[in-house]
């Protein structure tokens, strides 16, 4: 476990390697966080939930950092409000790396002890928490670079590959299926409470919708015809003057896409990415099809080729029957977000290895699209 | 059917009887509409979807009224935007009544013809549409009067009665149940597609939560403890400085409630009303219980005493399997609202007689509370 | 004085004669007030500042009305906030008229007494205050009717006449001039403190800029060229998509203007009205000329033909030397508005007779244009 | 002149010396700009207005930089909008310094030529422009550091000294005085047009109001009594919950002030700084005195001890008679801001040496207070 811990800590920093100091502190939108903040917050998490609680001699690195790097845990106390994260110039990037080194070393030392189940569980959640932030880091780095007027390049990483050409639909028979996590390995509280769900006969596509297919929707006026859209989606689209997925730019009548590897012409066979739930839904409406529910997705998952992009489902993010949240501050991890969000299933090229499983319930509000999201059709 | 039609038209106007001319035109919030607007819009609906389409000689009452009184049907054309409804002083109330009389007479005449199924369906939906607006009228009238600094009285109508004292829980066994409308009588498109749903064992309360019970939640600091609330609910509560249900006022350390019959001291045995989904959820969290899903509610409904208040469920408003929306403008009736809304089941004292059924899916966004909403617990 | 008082009271009501009950309560923008509010507020003013203070036996008409109809006098206590004026449906219009009758009769009775100077001064200010509201009533009525989708007509009143065709400039010599009110008759505190001002040689136009002249500015791209505009004016124009004076509408390539007498084609010889300071300034820039200062205007006034429209000057609204505000609540009348406002001089067709004088300092913020404003050039 | 130029360039960079890379890019409020932006913008100014226009062989450093670093010159073309300045992570700080070096060298080379009056004028304005940004840099650096939760220190610079204790008033006699710039040396266009102004007898304080005096105002409830405030100031104060000058913090019942040298207890003899016009006006009202006009200030200036803080006057920022703005983009320098701003006279400890003169017209909107502003009384 110590090796896993150290590897995760190293991986987080590796993601930031291509950045300049200037790229670390900026917050181009309330929903994004500065890389520096991720580096510090995922460190604070170890300090707050492991070291100060279980390591008797641990000396906190800096008394202000809990205030500065708490994300949303009301139980832990006051904190810098989310929209101000990009205004913190101090501590400097170098000091945040020193903070990381200090805490990593302290955890490593602490792990030499004989640890009980409660502590091992916290370490497990700490590792998974940091992996989640690794994925968010990729989203935020792409957003920071991709909204620069100069469109700088990150590097040849986290790029989805093309979809198969022999797309088709897989048929699944109606019945009562079991849904939810089972087995010994780690999962989040929102996946627990394995339970029965009845689904009717359905068919689900074995590939994601591609850029080429999505372009047809655009060219057929999909963004101009309210009949395909939710009322709220139509308002969102008009207010924000949206005409294509995030990072798409039309230049001299040609569509381009900003990727972590720079600006490039749209590649038709790549899966379309950076779309909101509103867009996924509208595309399906236009096709006369629909999105799968999260249950259909989980049932079919063993037959699907998934893992390139998080896939919007038509399920709202709600508690499973018998859901119970953890005690204390970690109880704020998932439960309090279970309203006005849609579930995404699968994983993306930015998801850390071994962090994905077919019961994983990711969630975002319907308008979000800076995450690595795509769509799969059902009927 | 003609008798039903005429009765519905009369009933809409009767609801407005206690109003002064001044009360008809005001819009104290974007979500509310002026009574005059309801009177005109429910008339325009007949004109637009029945008379101009099927009555060959029909002469439109006024060419501007479609622009003025369309609600949200993009397919019908441009319209006055919702927040401006309260600024229309013309047409005057008297003219809107004349418009109603003109259209009512035209429909009545038209109904003397031999009508085919398509037309009868439109009439049926027109009646149900106007009944829905009757209920909204009551909400909006209460909101208009209840936000006057002088708290004027409407009259002794639309007041819920006390709950039984022998509250308990009804047990339902796990199994696959059929959900959705069946039978010949009218329902909205969102109730169709009867389908199987598996539910686990559950228990559901046979009464609604009362004012007295809710007051305990308030007095135990329920509105000050973030642990009971969704993250979004907690933000909503703080931003709007909410400390009690809508229409509750604390005066000299005593709680009062504005009712259509005027301001009165809180009556403990009445069901608590005018709460948001956030509040219903938080109350259940505090109790260590939960809200029922809409499926549980429907399965248990024959054993419940319901109809006083719409009951928040823990189900998001989503399409049933095989949902298909109607063609044309009427397809905008329900489907386009199926995101970021929660389902309420049952009916309220403001629901027109014969308009309620146990498959009815009402829906509002989680923060709304001017509607006649209450809550029932489950476990 | 009693006759003047009664006449003023009657005149206020006469202005409202053409209105429907529905027109009395609406507030289409924060800066406008409902006619009902004016009727009540100008009555409350007599009650608050005269009757409750000096008439020993006076019984207040209704204890809530001070809360409802105070405008901005913090010294008098809490009040309904300005943007909520349009939401008050009660008291009804009829009751407000009863309130007016009650207070008018009480003041009339009170004026039978032998009144000292202090009391006579309050009556004088009450009359002038009500006259100011008569003018605001005309602005607000025009705004209420002119923003209705149906553009109803008020009547053949308050319409400026055409400008003379032999426009030219009057020359005034440099020197020290006296500025400010002198004489026994009434003026507001902001006109007092007659004092010397030095002005250089200047020339001032003997007519107002006309619709025809202003149309040239529009047609030469005046609203598209930032060089004529203040930075703040350019932002205002773009944010509000402004391309012409208020109430101008382009229909089928032809300019129309909503007037109190209905929509009509632009008449070139009428003075241009309903422009903001930003527009007046931009027009003068385009012409290579400038607006007069308020001092130049006052010095030249005896040679000018003025009184059709309030004329924007290039003077900010600031205190005259030795300005001292009145004691008590009436001290809030003028002084506290002396920042970020520009002075207008003259009078308009909506100004009550005998209410205008050449020392009168009217003021509005630079973007306002629902008032009857025009412009005169200087160099 | 070349020496002056080189010194100015060096001085700008010296101001940034104490900063970390992270401090360069942040923008805590729309009104502030990142230090990196100032460094680049004051360089772009030389490139845009001098080199590309007059230096025949000059090669622009980077084609995008005009888009990135133009401030508000509409005539020059599109630009990054002000609120997005803090989101630019590229070009990096190091590259901006390289840009500076490149342009400084190019200007230096160009100045070896024989330069005509037109060119010399542009160089003069370039130097003055960069000096203005030096002062803004100090404001913005203080704001960036002073809004960090950790209150880091800049250093022992730009700190005002204590006021004399023998405060009194200087009497000036009424008369016609000449106002505005005269002489050969540089001034901005808004100071030109020397002209006569008549002022009445007045008295003006020979010291600035101190922290100790201002504290009395606070302790006597000055921020709680609306009678001292403009209506707009009172709204501003309540909306922003303002109870003291910017950078004042009350900790355990003691007032502290963030200074560039760190947080310190209030020193009573220092002049009060970082107040808005609203606060300066309210303080004077409380004292029963007033602020001087900009004319009074200029007339009395030779007898005043000024230069520590910019002093709010009671004059609105308007054009002098015969004001004419420069041709082309530089015409946007001053004229377009002449509305809704108040004039400040004098200079501050952050004003570059030799950049101050008694005709200088500084201006800010009434609510601004991050600049080094103070107040002097008159009567």
């Amino acid at each position: 476990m110590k090796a896993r811990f150290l590897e995760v800590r190293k991986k987080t920093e590796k993601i930031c390697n291509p950045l300049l100091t200037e790229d670390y502190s900026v917050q181009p939108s309330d929903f994004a966080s500065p890389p520096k903040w991720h580096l510090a917050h995922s460190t604070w998490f170890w300090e707050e939930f492991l070291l100060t609680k279980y390591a008797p001699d641990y000396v906190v690195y800096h008394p202000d950092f809990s205030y500065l790097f708490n994300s949303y845990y009301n139980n832990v106390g006051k904190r810098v409000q989310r929209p101000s994260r990009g205004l913190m110039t101090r501590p400097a990037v170098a000091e945040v790396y020193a903070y990381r080194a200090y805490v990593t070393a302290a955890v490593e030392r602490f792990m030499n002890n004989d640890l009980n189940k409660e502590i091992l569980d916290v370490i497990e959640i700490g590792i998974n928490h940091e992996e989640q932030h690794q994925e968010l880091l990729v989203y935020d780095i792409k957003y920071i670079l991709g909204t620069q007027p100069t469109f700088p390049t990150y590097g040849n990483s986290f790029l989805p590959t093309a979809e198969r050409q022999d797309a088709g639909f897989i048929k699944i028979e109606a019945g009562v299926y079991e849904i939810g996590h089972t087995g010994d390995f780690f999962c989040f509280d929102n996946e627990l409470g394995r339970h029965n769900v009845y689904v009717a006969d359905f068919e689900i596509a074995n590939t994601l919708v591609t850029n080429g297919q999505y372009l047809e929707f655009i060219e057929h006026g999909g963004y101009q015809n309210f009949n395909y859209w939710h009322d709220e989606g139509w308002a969102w689209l008009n207010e924000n003057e949206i005409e294509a997925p995030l990072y798409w730019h039309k230049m001299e009548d040609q569509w381009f896409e900003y990727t972590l590897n720079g600006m490039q012409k749209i590649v038709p066979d790549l899966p379309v990415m950076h779309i909101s739930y509103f867009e996924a839904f509208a595309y399906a409406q236009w096709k006369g099809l629909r999105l799968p529910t999260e249950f259909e997705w989980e049932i079919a998952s063993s037959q699907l080729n998934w893992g390139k992009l998080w896939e919007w489902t038509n399920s709202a993010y709600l508690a499973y029957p018998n859901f119970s949240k953890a005690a204390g501050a970690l109880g704020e991890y998932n439960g309090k977000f279970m309203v006005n969000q849609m579930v995404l299933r699968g994983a993306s090229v930015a998801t850390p290895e071994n962090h994905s499983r077919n019961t994983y319930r990711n969630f975002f509000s319907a308008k979000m699209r800076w995450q690595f999201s795509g769509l799969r059709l059902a009927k």
Side-chain angles (χ1 to χ4, degrees), chain A:
Chain A
M1 199 162 202
K2 202 202 278 185
R4 254 181 81 214
F5 166 75
L6 291 171
E7 200 181 345
V8 163
R9 297 289 289 169
K10 212 186 293 174
K11 169 79 179 307
T12 306
E13 299 176 8
K14 193 178 155 224
I15 291 170
C16 296
N17 256 4
L19 300 183
L20 301 185
T21 303
E22 288 85 345
D23 299 325
Y24 277 91
S25 312
V26 80
Q27 182 179 28
S29 176
D30 282 7
F31 60 75
S33 292
K36 188 174 79 177
W37 186 90
H38 285 293
L39 291 174
H41 166 74
S42 57
T43 301
W44 164 84
F45 192 95
W46 292 104
E47 203 175 40
E48 174 68 29
F49 292 111
L50 185 74
L51 295 172
T52 62
K53 243 172 131 178
Y54 301 109
D57 304 330
Y58 180 70
V59 179
V60 161
Y61 180 80
H62 193 298
D64 287 347
F65 282 16
S66 181
Y67 174 74
L68 298 179
F69 299 121
N70 178 359
S71 53
Y72 55 68
Y73 299 89
N74 292 311
N75 283 292
V76 177
K78 290 198 168 185
R79 61 186 180 276
V80 169
Q81 288 307 294
R82 191 178 180 106
S84 301
R85 288 178 186 167
L87 305 179
M88 271 193 259
T89 67
R90 316 289 181 97
V93 172
E95 189 172 353
V96 166
Y97 275 109
Y99 175 41
R100 286 187 68 85
Y102 176 89
V103 168
T104 301
V107 174
E108 191 182 0
R109 268 195 316 276
F110 176 69
M111 286 175 83
N112 292 333
N113 299 316
D114 203 14
L115 303 174
N116 63 24
K117 168 92 169 58
E118 180 184 329
I119 292 175
L120 288 171
D121 280 356
V122 171
I123 293 174
E124 186 65 53
I125 209 169
I127 288 172
N128 278 276
H129 172 263
E130 184 144 352
E131 286 174 342
Q132 287 187 310
H133 279 279
Q134 288 171 0
E135 179 147 11
L136 291 170
L137 254 174
V138 177
Y139 299 169
D140 289 346
I141 288 170
K142 183 166 183 181
Y143 197 72
I144 287 165
L145 301 180
T147 54
Q148 294 300 316
T150 52
F151 298 116
T153 296
Y154 172 84
N156 194 3
S157 310
F158 307 117
L159 303 171
T161 53
E163 285 298 275
R164 298 156 40 192
Q165 293 304 301
D166 57 337
F169 282 81
I170 295 160
K171 288 189 192 185
I172 309 276
E173 273 189 25
V176 172
Y177 291 86
E178 279 190 72
I179 293 293
H181 184 74
T182 182
D184 280 345
F185 56 93
F186 176 81
C187 77
F188 287 109
D189 57 1
N190 60 0
E191 303 166 52
L192 289 173
R194 192 159 167 88
H195 62 287
N196 287 334
V197 168
Y198 180 92
V199 298
D201 290 338
F202 71 96
E203 298 182 37
I204 187 165
N206 60 6
T207 58
L208 299 176
V209 171
T210 64
N211 281 336
Q213 291 163 338
Y214 199 84
L215 202 50
E216 282 183 61
F217 171 62
I218 294 177
E219 284 168 357
H220 281 76
Y223 282 80
Q224 284 77 48
N225 186 338
F226 51 79
N227 283 306
Y228 306 133
W229 298 80
H230 287 104
D231 192 55
E232 196 177 321
W234 187 244
W236 165 80
L237 169 161
N238 282 294
E239 198 177 322
N240 297 284
E241 296 176 17
I242 284 170
E243 301 180 321
L246 182 62
Y247 299 127
W248 284 40
H249 297 263
K250 201 170 196 172
M251 298 187 279
E252 294 167 11
D253 249 26
Q254 177 98 38
W255 282 105
F256 288 77
E257 179 183 14
Y258 175 78
T259 76
L260 284 170
N261 212 16
M263 197 67 90
Q264 62 176 42
K265 270 196 206 169
I266 291 295
V267 178
D269 290 350
L270 289 178
V272 65
M273 68 191 290
H274 293 299
I275 53 171
S276 64
Y277 171 73
F278 293 132
E279 288 163 296
F281 177 89
Y283 178 84
Q285 287 281 106
W286 174 69
K287 271 297 202 195
L289 299 170
R290 62 175 178 84
L291 304 178
T293 66
E294 64 168 319
F295 309 116
E296 290 170 341
W297 191 96
E298 189 171 324
I299 291 161
S301 59
S302 64
Q303 302 176 57
L304 300 177
N305 177 11
W306 59 270
K308 290 181 193 170
L309 295 175
W310 289 98
E311 306 176 20
W312 285 110
T313 72
N314 206 38
S315 296
Y317 182 48
L318 292 168
Y320 281 175
N322 306 316
F323 169 71
S324 73
K325 58 183 192 182
L330 286 176
E332 297 185 49
Y333 210 99
N334 274 307
K336 73 180 185 180
F337 300 110
M338 288 177 172
V339 68
N340 294 339
Q341 313 258 5
M342 299 305 288
V343 172
L344 300 98
R345 289 300 195 98
S348 85
V349 288
T351 310
E353 254 179 291
N354 305 320
H355 189 79
S356 62
R357 55 192 168 271
N358 74 339
T359 59
Y360 204 107
R361 306 178 77 201
N362 204 346
F363 57 91
F364 284 106
S365 81
K367 68 183 175 186
M368 297 306 290
R369 48 189 212 155
W370 104 123
Q371 76 280 17
F372 282 27
S373 55
L375 94 131
R376 182 189 300 277
L377 294 169
K379 56 187 175 190

